[in-house]
Amino acid sequence: MPYGILYIFGNIPGLTGLCIAGVFSASLGSLSSAVNALSNITVEDFIKPFCISKNISDTWMTFIAKRLAVGYICLILLMALVASKFRGVLEATNIVVGMVGVPILGIYLLGMFTTTANEPGTLIGLLTGLAMYALAGFGAYVTKPSIATLPRSTAGCHIESNTEFFNISTEATTIESVTEAPHLIGVEEK
């Protein structure tokens, strides 16, 4: 996208920077709302219900939510750093979807087929599954052995075999600086 903006608006000073800043501000706006939602959901659903003291002020919960937002931002930056080491987007997507999707599928199947599951056991199973699949996914990627590439040198090859490949000729007729190849389009010569 930045190349397209540079290509289109490259001759107008300042407009390329303004367009790229607009793209980055749009992405940061959606990222900040996601981090805000994560921290607020964590405070409302996981911290407030299990808090020993029920009379904690809203200013203290706001302070906790801000600290959680900073923690989530650090986690996002760490994941971006890890994702930059992947060989491709498809491989990174498969690892992350497998890491998150399998424990969620386990919770879904647990809820479908049993009636004795409780919330603490389910949360412990979810976190354990996430940790195990993260260890398996990232560990398999990190410890993957590098494959040695074959040599690309043509030293020792017979000289005739290299030049014969590139000496391909086609029959073509030139009429008034127009090249025609009748045998390629199926027209027979008379």
Side-chain angles (χ1 to χ4, degrees):
M1 178 179 261
Y3 179 73
I5 292 172
L6 284 173
Y7 181 75
I8 295 170
F9 302 119
N11 56 354
I12 304 171
L15 193 57
T16 57
L18 187 65
C19 288
I20 291 174
V23 169
F24 283 132
S25 68
S27 65
L28 285 176
S30 61
L31 184 68
S32 69
S33 65
V35 169
N36 186 25
L38 278 171
S39 65
N40 284 332
I41 286 172
T42 305
V43 166
E44 290 296 324
D45 291 343
F46 293 110
I47 294 177
K48 274 188 180 179
F50 300 111
C51 209
I52 296 171
S53 176
K54 297 293 181 186
N55 54 2
I56 294 178
S57 66
D58 287 337
T59 56
W60 183 249
M61 284 298 169
T62 305
F63 177 76
I64 292 173
K66 288 178 182 178
R67 296 299 174 250
L68 280 171
V70 170
Y72 281 128
I73 289 171
C74 291
L75 183 65
I76 289 170
L77 288 174
L78 179 68
M79 290 299 291
L81 182 67
V82 168
S84 70
K85 303 296 182 191
F86 286 122
R87 288 184 270 286
V89 176
L90 184 64
E91 184 179 15
T93 303
N94 285 338
I95 288 174
V96 172
V97 167
M99 181 180 70
V100 175
V102 174
I104 291 176
L105 176 68
I107 290 175
Y108 179 74
L109 292 175
L110 181 71
M112 235 169 77
F113 294 120
T114 65
T115 57
T116 59
N118 58 7
E119 185 181 355
T122 306
L123 285 176
I124 290 171
L126 173 70
L127 294 177
T128 305
L130 283 173
M132 290 297 139
Y133 276 98
L135 182 66
F138 293 132
Y141 180 78
V142 170
T143 60
K144 186 180 284 187
S146 60
I147 300 170
T149 58
L150 296 174
R152 296 187 178 122
S153 173
T154 57
C157 294
H158 194 275
I159 199 159
E160 302 266 337
S161 63
N162 289 339
T163 57
E164 286 177 10
F165 180 74
F166 295 107
N167 289 334
I168 299 173
S169 62
T170 59
E171 297 176 14
T173 313
T174 305
I175 302 173
E176 298 177 9
S177 71
V178 175
T179 304
E180 294 179 0
H183 61 280
L184 294 178
I185 58 173
V187 177
E188 296 182 14
E189 288 187 51
K190 294 181 182 177

